[in-house]
Amino acid sequence: MEKSALQIARSAYQPKLPLGLRGNVSIKEGQPTQSVGDQEEIKALFPNTYGMPLVEFVPSNEKKTYAPMNMGVILSGGQAPGGHNVICGLFDELKKQNPDSKLYGFLMGPGGLVDHKYMEITDEIVAEYRNTGGFDLIGSGRTKLEKAEQFEAGLEIIRELNIKAIVIIGGDDSNTNACVLAEYYAAKGCGVQVIGCPKTIDGDLKNEQIETSFGFDTACKTYAEVIGNIQRDANSARKYWHFIKLMGRSASHIALECALQCQPNICIISEEVEEKNQTLDDIVNYIASVVAQRAADGNNFGTVLIPEGLIEFIPAMKALIAELNDLLSTPEAAAVSADDQRAWILSKLSAANAAVYESLPETVARQLTMERDPHGNVQVSLIETEKLLSEMVAKKLDAWKAEGKFAGKFAAQHHFFGYEGRCAAPSNYDADYCYALGTSAAQLVANGKTGYMAIVKNTTAPAEEWIAGGVPITMMMNMERRHGEMKPVIRKALVRLDGAPFKTFAAHRDEWAKNTCFVYPGPIQYFGPTEVCDQSTITLRLEQA
Ligand code: FBP
């Protein structure tokens, strides 16, 4: 594999481990835990993995011996920077415990376990992937692990390879499924442990126990660099409004963090839109009025950040999408040709939803009907919200011009930042965090745990002071309605409007809208002073302050 100079230098980086994971390690157990909601239902569904204690790893003087053990690892869902370092942490700890232990990677996501597609991860392979972005070492996929047949098929290969534990690196849905798998194997007495790891650039897998999901730090820093560059360009040419859509399928954490880093003129936060029951027209009015206000000051340029999931948070759009979901899952829908689809949909929708559907530009209306992902989610990354909003703003400004309320110029450029950041080389924060998560996961397995997620806390302090351990996955669960059925799930963390990150943004946004307060964060730095290279996100600093 040919490598750049940076790749070569970066592969030698030794991730910093918390003191508790460095030498001999012992485990400290806390009190029994409860789920965050619906305790009785969750306990009944997870009789073998409910109520276990929180655990922490602490330095020890005792040198333990470990029998050789085989472990499997799976990358699940969207890529996130640092995934390879979780695998490196797992591998190094496993081999440190006993050089005869083996790590198997299941290929292309959870489907690899079911279909028996795997590879052994060796020293030579790991050496190629240290501190690299991407999930290409073993690939990822979105197969949902939820059925007994899948668990049984997995068990066959687990037995064949003499695997004792599986580590699933994924988001809230994948970790919920990891817990279901852990419970299934525990209930059957299979002797197979299952451990999760919190991954997603979206940042929506966090709670009292999980400070942040890995990948969020690097992805936001990557987007913030490019947004900063665009802001410099906007401020240099002074002729464009840039509409920038940012990944984050549901929560607006990425958009909010980028706003805190870059101070754009506008950032829409989906959670606020929902809370205030805003319509599409309210959002368009807000953007157009900022454009008009800046134009009055002679500034016909600016930046607008739009979270990818916005469309599903606008109450009228949410109702439309819900009806479309039902409609498109009928056999009748499958028989309608692409040419007739729009007319057919309009004839079937309720009057209110048909009116919303008809008011949308045809491209966006078509994007709303595209295939759902395996978890039943609308693929919001394919919906061009940035174009929808800029087209609607342009129309509004034309109307205002005719009424003499707007005398400026409006020209828009569109961007979507998502895939650009998901596989970036992990920042020092993510490289260290992920390596510690992998090490923790291996320790959880060595200590006989199942149904736990590896965690690392206190991550705004220097890495040696980080606290590694594990949280029972059931502790983070409650019951929610999913696709018409009540299901046990890990609560998704949306942006809290009473949280410090949003309040900080809200306190500044009027000033950022009117004036040009752009910040240009520059690229991620891997080598240099710690205040440049080891900073966590602003979101995390504000939350942990
Ligand atoms: P995960 O929740 O699996 O981490 O994925 C998040 C994400 O990156 C979203 O931000 C985005 O909407 C989605 O993946 C895109 O999915 P795909 O890779 O299937 O296009």
Side-chain angles (χ1 to χ4, degrees):
M1 235 195 262
E2 203 160 326
K3 288 193 184 132
S4 71
L6 177 63
Q7 272 180 295
I8 294 166
R10 189 64 183 159
S11 68
Y13 175 75
Q14 181 54 51
K16 302 184 271 300
L17 267 184
L19 279 179
L21 290 176
R22 280 188 196 171
N24 300 322
V25 176
S26 72
I27 188 164
K28 203 168 92 186
E29 304 214 343
Q31 297 301 312
T33 56
Q34 297 271 11
S35 60
V36 287
D38 310 299
Q39 284 88 7
E40 288 315 312
E41 287 98 321
I42 305 285
K43 192 174 175 179
L45 288 165
F46 296 91
N48 296 281
T49 49
Y50 186 85
M52 301 178 299
L54 275 167
V55 300
E56 189 184 317
F57 297 117
V58 289
S60 151
N61 292 326
E62 187 201 340
K63 187 160 172 46
K64 288 190 200 149
T65 52
Y66 298 86
M69 185 234 293
N70 295 348
M71 201 188 277
V73 61
I74 298 173
L75 291 165
S76 178
Q79 286 70 257
H84 288 155
N85 268 27
V86 179
I87 297 180
C88 295
L90 265 179
F91 180 87
D92 290 351
E93 182 57 33
L94 197 63
K95 292 284 182 184
K96 185 174 127 192
Q97 289 170 5
N98 191 313
D100 292 330
S101 294
K102 285 185 180 162
L103 181 63
Y104 291 100
F106 287 98
L107 305 181
M108 302 312 291
L113 178 69
V114 180
D115 302 333
H116 303 186
K117 303 256 164 54
Y118 67 91
M119 65 189 260
E120 187 185 339
I121 298 174
T122 60
D123 217 6
E124 294 69 44
I125 295 173
V126 159
E128 290 291 316
Y129 288 92
R130 291 190 188 271
N131 310 306
T132 57
F135 278 6
D136 45 322
L137 196 167
I138 51 174
S140 185
R142 292 197 183 277
T143 304
K144 226 170 137 70
L145 270 190
E146 57 179 355
K147 298 193 183 94
E149 307 90 85
Q150 294 173 309
F151 303 163
E152 289 295 333
L155 199 53
E156 284 168 25
I157 189 72
I158 286 173
R159 294 262 187 265
E160 196 180 311
L161 298 173
N162 193 21
I163 284 176
K164 182 165 177 248
I166 299 281
V167 174
I168 299 183
I169 302 170
D172 52 343
D173 284 337
S174 307
N175 275 286
T176 296
N177 295 340
C179 195
V180 175
L181 188 65
E183 177 65 32
Y184 184 89
Y185 289 156
K188 290 194 74 182
C190 303
V192 181
Q193 298 160 243
V194 184
I195 299 294
C197 260
K199 168 241 70 167
T200 175
I201 60 160
D202 291 3
D204 54 11
L205 176 48
K206 64 176 169 185
N207 49 46
E208 288 280 295
Q209 306 306 330
I210 300 172
E211 289 189 356
T212 186
S213 52
F214 80 73
F216 176 69
D217 185 271
T218 312
C220 288
K221 286 173 179 162
T222 307
Y223 305 140
E225 178 201 348
V226 192
I227 295 166
N229 295 350
I230 286 176
Q231 292 191 152
R232 275 267 202 226
D233 194 285
N235 201 9
S236 307
R238 307 198 175 188
K239 60 177 183 179
Y240 290 129
W241 272 87
H242 292 269
F243 283 69
I244 305 168
K245 184 174 80 162
L246 290 157
M247 265 195 181
R249 153 209 325 284
S250 303
S252 311
H253 298 294
I254 293 180
L256 179 56
E257 171 65 22
C258 290
L260 292 169
Q261 288 195 32
C262 303
Q263 304 188 179
N265 302 105
I266 297 172
C267 175
I268 308 292
I269 300 296
S270 308
E271 291 82 344
E272 185 183 27
V273 167
E274 185 170 46
E275 171 74 20
K276 295 188 172 162
N277 210 1
Q278 288 175 338
T279 61
L280 198 50
D281 197 47
D282 292 334
I283 301 168
V284 170
N285 252 322
Y286 169 64
I287 301 175
S289 55
V290 173
V291 172
Q293 188 193 22
R294 282 180 61 80
D297 294 340
N299 297 320
N300 289 303
F301 66 95
T303 43
V304 184
L305 305 190
I306 303 153
E308 184 189 53
L310 174 65
I311 210 94
E312 289 193 285
F313 282 76
I314 300 169
M317 296 296 294
K318 198 174 182 171
L320 168 64
I321 290 170
E323 196 176 352
L324 281 175
N325 284 349
D326 291 345
L327 202 57
L328 295 170
S329 62
T330 58
E332 201 187 339
V336 180
S337 74
D339 287 348
D340 299 338
Q341 196 193 42
R342 185 177 165 86
W344 180 79
I345 287 174
L346 280 168
S347 73
K348 295 282 173 184
L349 283 174
S350 65
N353 286 337
V356 177
Y357 188 78
E358 214 163 13
S359 71
L360 297 172
E362 275 201 33
T363 41
V364 175
R366 196 168 346 102
Q367 286 158 5
L368 282 181
T369 62
M370 281 182 303
E371 208 184 316
R372 277 33 181 170
D373 79 1
H375 294 260
N377 302 311
V378 175
Q379 300 198 51
V380 281
S381 61
L382 302 177
I383 300 174
E384 294 175 315
T385 331
E386 68 285 20
K387 292 198 181 142
L388 167 71
L389 286 177
S390 91
E391 274 177 36
M392 293 178 82
V393 167
K395 268 194 200 151
K396 177 117 339 192
L397 290 169
D398 281 347
W400 287 358
K401 199 166 245 178
E403 293 166 26
K405 290 203 301 202
F406 171 64
K409 288 185 191 141
F410 176 73
Q413 295 286 353
H414 306 103
H415 315 266
F416 168 35
F417 298 146
Y419 300 98
E420 296 81 347
R422 291 203 315 187
C423 285
S427 59
N428 282 0
Y429 178 90
D430 271 329
D432 297 348
Y433 185 51
C434 289
Y435 193 75
L437 283 172
T439 311
S440 255
Q443 278 292 349
L444 286 168
V445 173
N447 282 279
K449 301 295 176 196
T450 189
Y452 273 75
M453 204 188 295
I455 50 169
V456 178
K457 291 183 176 182
N458 200 30
T459 63
T460 48
E464 60 267 23
E465 292 167 33
W466 293 6
I467 298 163
V471 54
I473 300 179
T474 52
M475 187 183 177
M476 299 176 284
M477 285 185 168
N478 66 168
M479 301 296 289
E480 285 176 23
R481 182 165 293 282
R482 295 278 170 94
H483 312 300
E485 259 181 85
M486 289 307 281
K487 294 251 175 179
V489 292
I490 297 174
R491 234 180 226 173
K492 208 182 251 311
L494 300 181
V495 168
R496 291 180 58 150
L497 303 185
D498 61 354
F502 178 78
K503 279 167 124 179
T504 306
F505 161 70
H508 290 95
R509 66 175 149 192
D510 290 346
E511 192 202 340
W512 297 350
K514 181 168 166 36
N515 303 314
T516 302
C517 306
F518 299 159
V519 174
Y520 315 111
I524 295 176
Q525 298 297 309
Y526 299 99
F527 306 98
T530 191
E531 67 275 17
V532 179
C533 303
D534 295 337
Q535 293 252 9
S536 62
T537 56
I538 299 178
T539 302
L540 192 59
R541 290 205 294 273
L542 288 170
E543 281 172 348
Q544 301 297 318

